């Protein structure tokens, strides 16, 4: 039984999707004004592991991630880069897809863009206005927080405490400092859309309410995002969606912990801002995923080069084991005739069912490798069958769910090395033949034969065929 910690109820709950085996899942995506940083990568990778584990369990997951392609930061960047906001968005959407691809994050089923949903956004704001949850001040439309009784239920914040909070920006037009923008009046030179309130563009929070509803329905199963989005972003999404639709917005709220860099908060001004792209130049995606998987997704995490290098080192053991598997055909069934494999599968599922405890899942996989290696040394007869079943287990768990090993990539690498090695040996043999050292030439031919490589000599030279 899968249990998930729900930020809304502040407890672990049994996961019961609305319409099993279908699961609807929404994750707040990037604002496309720059390359995403390694802290964002944590959200993308953690949600990817959660989605893949749900799929492992047989759920049919519809996964939606929005792309915020109109925003103050994009406008600022377009001025800096002396180009249009559309060009800025396009450039960084492209970079986003390339980088998540390298991190082996599976693509969402839908990537809705704010600019592609303007009419839906306007319709929801109109709905909120008609129901008395929104007010228009000279082309700026605000959400009236005082009208929504349950405001604060996700973050656990009390509105009266929030109102005196110094961090709330004072705005003359707002009735209450907590009220937030649904529609922003266009300033000179900014991109705008026509609306019942005049030329303008949507606020950030309304995008997610509209796009999740459009693609997943008024109530859906899982909404995830970084911890820093709980307040105000997700609190505001609830206020908008539940006021407009009159029903529960989300069943399970999941939040990913904050990532510090060298024990300090990442910021551009501190110069410790690391893009995922930069980190990928120094470490493999498997190591980055292992680094994240080794921690509980909800907790804070500290990023250092030592830890990443440690993850890279830890992978050696896993890769060495996986190399034994790449040339065997995987079993089709999860059920194995070896109790050792069945036991580890049960353990893997137990820890992942406990709120996606990936750090324990990683430990299960390393224990599995240790025990299977021991078994391989002892039972020579069952070796091939054991490897086949091990391959199925490693492929299902470490590869397809956690993404800390990639069997296909290893195989490719191995084959490439082999072909290079084979060619080197053939060259050596040709040289030996030219020097009339037939003993050495025959020895090389035998060595290649043992590797499953057959040689064919002709006037044009030597060709080879892999027969095994
Ligand atoms: Zn969002």
């Amino acid at each position: 039984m899968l249990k998930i910690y729900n930020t809304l109820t502040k407890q672990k709950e049994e996961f019961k999707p609305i319409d099993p085996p279908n699961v609807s899942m929404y994750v707040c995506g990037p604002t496309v004004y720059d390359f995403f940083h390694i802290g964002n990568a944590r959200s993308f990778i953690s949600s990817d592991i959660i989605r893949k584990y749900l799929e492992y369990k047989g759920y049919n997951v519809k996964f939606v991630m929005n792309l915020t392609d109109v925003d103050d930061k994009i406008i600022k960047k377009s001025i800096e880069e002396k180009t249009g906001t559309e060009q800025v968005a396009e450039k960084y959407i492209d970079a986003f897809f390339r980088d998540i691809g390298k991190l082996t994050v599976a693509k969402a089923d839908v990537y809705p863009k704010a600019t592609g949903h303007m009419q839906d956004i306007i319709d929801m704001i109109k709905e909120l206005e008609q129901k008395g949850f929104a007010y228009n001040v000279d082309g700026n439309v605000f959400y009236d927080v005082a009208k929504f009784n349950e405001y604060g239920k996700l973050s656990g914040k009390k509105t009266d405490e929030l109102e005196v909070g110094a961090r709330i920006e004072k705005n003359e037009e707002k009735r209450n400092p907590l009220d937030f923008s649904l529609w922003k009046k266009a300033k000179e030179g900014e991109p705008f859309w026509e609306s019942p309130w005049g030329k303008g563009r949507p606020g950030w929070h309304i995008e997610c309410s509209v796009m999740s509803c459009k693609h997943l329905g008024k109530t859906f199963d899982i909404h995830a995002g970084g911890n820093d989005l709980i307040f105000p972003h997700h609190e505001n999404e609830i206020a908008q969606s539940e006021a407009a639709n009159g029903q529960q917005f989300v069943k399970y709220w999941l939040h990913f912990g904050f990532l510090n860099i060298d024990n300090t908060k990442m910021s551009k001004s501190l110069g410790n801002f690391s893009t995922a792209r930069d980190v990928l130049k120094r470490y493999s995606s498997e190591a980055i995923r292992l680094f994240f998987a080794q921690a509980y997704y909800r907790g804070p995490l500290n990023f250092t080069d030592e830890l990443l290098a440690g993850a890279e080192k830890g992978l050696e053991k896993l890769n060495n084991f996986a190399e034994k598997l790449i040339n065997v055909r995987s079993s089709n069934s999860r059920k194995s005739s070896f109790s050792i494999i069945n036991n580890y599968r049960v353990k893997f599922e137990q820890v992942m069912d406990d709120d996606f405890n990936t750090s324990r899942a990683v430990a299960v996989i390393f224990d599995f490798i240790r025990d299977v290696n021991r078994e391989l040394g002892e039972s020579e007869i069952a070796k091939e069958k054991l490897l086949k079943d091990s391959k199925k287990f490693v492929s299902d768990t470490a590869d397809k769910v956690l993404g800390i090993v990639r069997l296909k990539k290893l195989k490719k690498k191995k084959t490439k090395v082999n072909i290079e090695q084979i060619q080197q040996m053939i060259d050596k043999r040709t040289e030996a033949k030219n020097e009339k050292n037939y003993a050495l030439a025959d020895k090389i031919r035998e060595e290649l034969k043992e590797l499953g490589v057959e040689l064919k000599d002709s006037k044009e030279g030597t060709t080879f065929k892999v027969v095994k």
Side-chain angles (χ1 to χ4, degrees):
M1 178 180 70
L2 172 61
K3 283 190 164 185
I4 300 183
Y5 184 92
N6 188 351
T7 310
L8 185 66
T9 58
K10 288 157 195 72
Q11 58 190 9
K12 272 186 204 170
E13 290 174 22
E14 187 186 343
F15 180 60
K16 287 185 189 157
I18 300 158
D19 176 31
N22 299 314
V23 171
S24 41
M25 181 168 179
Y26 185 90
V27 180
C28 293
T31 299
V32 283
Y33 73 103
D34 206 342
F35 302 114
F36 65 83
H37 58 72
I38 192 69
N40 297 128
R42 187 180 191 191
S43 284
F44 302 145
I45 289 172
S46 300
S47 55
D48 185 57
I49 292 175
I50 289 169
R51 170 206 196 169
K52 287 173 176 169
Y53 184 62
L54 291 168
E55 286 169 347
Y56 168 96
K57 285 185 78 73
Y59 289 114
N60 174 24
V61 183
K62 182 168 181 186
F63 188 96
V64 178
M65 179 179 276
N66 67 306
L67 299 171
T68 300
D69 62 345
V70 54
D71 176 270
D72 289 338
K73 289 176 191 146
I74 296 172
I75 295 169
K76 197 172 155 237
K77 192 79 170 203
S78 77
I79 296 163
E80 279 169 24
E81 295 195 351
K82 296 191 176 61
T83 175
T85 51
E86 282 168 39
Q87 282 78 5
V88 170
E90 210 172 290
K91 174 178 166 185
Y92 292 106
I93 286 172
D94 213 52
F96 166 75
F97 284 131
R98 244 179 297 147
D99 294 347
I100 63 159
K102 282 193 192 137
L103 292 167
T104 60
V105 169
K107 277 205 163 189
D109 296 289
V110 195
Y111 284 107
K113 291 179 191 167
T115 55
H117 291 70
M118 251 349 128
Q119 193 52 50
D120 300 300
I121 291 171
I122 289 167
D123 288 346
M124 190 180 260
I125 300 173
K126 265 162 58 184
E127 182 87 28
L128 287 168
E129 199 178 29
Q130 276 156 19
K131 290 183 172 167
F133 289 96
Y135 57 93
N136 172 15
V137 184
D138 187 29
N140 281 304
V141 184
F142 298 101
Y143 187 96
D144 195 345
V145 167
K147 296 274 166 61
F148 188 69
N149 290 333
E150 291 180 284
Y151 194 81
K153 70 176 173 181
L154 181 71
S155 57
K157 293 182 192 289
K158 302 255 189 311
T159 44
D160 48 349
E161 287 167 16
L162 284 169
E163 279 167 30
V164 293
R167 293 182 64 190
I168 305 288
E169 197 185 316
K170 282 257 189 290
N171 187 315
E172 294 298 320
E173 291 177 325
K174 290 184 193 175
R175 291 179 189 165
N176 179 319
L178 285 178
D179 293 352
F180 54 90
S181 284
L182 295 168
W183 189 260
K184 293 177 175 179
K185 188 175 169 173
K187 293 192 190 106
E188 187 68 34
E190 286 183 353
F192 64 82
W193 286 261
E194 296 291 347
S195 82
W197 316 281
K199 293 179 169 66
R201 61 193 163 89
W204 172 43
H205 312 301
I206 193 76
E207 280 178 36
C208 286
S209 279
V210 167
M211 292 190 266
S212 58
C213 178
K214 171 112 181 173
H215 297 282
L216 299 172
K218 289 178 179 172
T219 304
F220 59 93
D221 294 310
I222 298 175
H223 193 316
N227 243 339
D228 52 327
L229 298 183
I230 295 175
F231 185 86
H233 185 53
H234 290 161
E235 198 71 74
N236 291 350
E237 282 186 37
I238 292 176
Q240 295 165 153
S241 295
E242 297 194 353
N245 299 327
Q247 63 188 69
Q248 188 183 3
F249 176 41
V250 169
K251 272 192 92 173
Y252 305 92
W253 283 93
L254 270 72
H255 290 98
F256 309 116
F258 204 78
L259 187 75
N260 284 313
I261 307 275
D262 296 325
N263 286 311
T264 46
K265 197 176 162 181
M266 178 166 37
S267 81
K268 278 195 170 161
S269 56
L270 283 173
N272 65 353
F273 185 91
S274 288
T275 63
R277 176 168 285 228
D278 285 340
V279 178
L280 273 163
K281 282 180 194 151
R282 286 177 284 146
Y283 304 101
S284 66
S285 73
E286 292 90 326
I288 297 169
R289 291 182 70 112
L290 176 63
F291 166 73
F292 287 127
Q294 277 171 329
Y296 181 34
Y297 73 88
R298 294 177 48 79
L301 184 60
N302 188 38
F303 178 98
T304 67
D305 273 293
E306 288 74 28
L307 289 170
L308 257 289
E312 202 78 80
K313 187 119 189 57
L315 283 177
E316 282 173 22
K317 208 182 277 177
L318 179 54
N319 283 331
N320 288 341
F321 181 75
E323 280 183 8
K324 296 180 189 168
L325 309 176
I326 50 180
N327 287 321
V328 291
R329 201 141 48 92
S330 166
S331 298
N332 291 324
S333 166
R334 282 187 185 177
K335 193 94 190 125
S336 169
S337 54
F338 296 94
S339 59
I340 178 178
I341 292 179
N342 293 329
N343 289 345
Y344 274 106
R345 193 177 280 275
V346 169
K347 279 186 195 166
F348 175 80
E349 291 173 9
Q350 269 171 354
V351 299
M352 287 298 282
D353 275 351
D354 183 17
D355 196 26
F356 313 103
N357 195 331
T358 52
S359 72
R360 289 184 63 198
V362 166
V364 167
I365 285 161
F366 279 93
D367 288 349
F368 166 83
I369 290 171
R370 185 199 57 211
D371 284 357
V372 171
N373 271 332
R374 193 182 296 152
E375 195 85 356
L376 282 170
E378 284 168 10
S379 59
E380 200 53 41
I381 310 147
K383 200 172 169 179
E384 198 181 332
K385 174 87 177 103
L386 183 59
L387 286 175
K388 277 183 172 182
D389 289 2
S390 295
K391 185 172 188 179
K392 176 74 178 149
F393 177 74
V394 170
S395 164
D396 285 351
T397 59
D399 188 335
K400 286 187 192 138
V401 174
L402 300 174
I404 57 175
V405 68
R406 287 160 72 192
L407 294 170
K408 273 189 190 150
K409 182 177 155 188
L410 274 178
K411 185 165 184 166
K412 241 188 201 166
K413 210 169 118 192
K414 198 80 185 161
T415 317
K416 202 173 145 203
V417 169
N418 275 348
I419 289 171
E420 277 168 17
Q421 278 176 344
I422 291 164
Q423 198 53 56
Q424 273 174 16
M425 285 170 81
I426 291 173
D427 292 347
K428 228 170 113 187
R429 178 173 167 267
T430 310
E431 213 175 287
K433 277 193 350 185
N434 289 343
E435 289 166 2
K436 303 202 186 311
N437 187 350
Y438 297 111
L440 179 61
D442 286 348
K443 195 175 157 245
I444 294 170
R445 177 189 274 273
E446 279 310 304
E447 277 172 16
L448 282 164
K449 201 176 166 190
E450 253 169 47
L451 292 170
V453 178
E454 258 177 21
L455 300 183
K456 197 178 169 204
D457 293 319
S458 70
K459 267 184 264 166
E460 284 78 35
T462 306
T463 55
F464 71 91
K465 191 164 78 177
V466 181
V467 290
K468 198 159 68 182

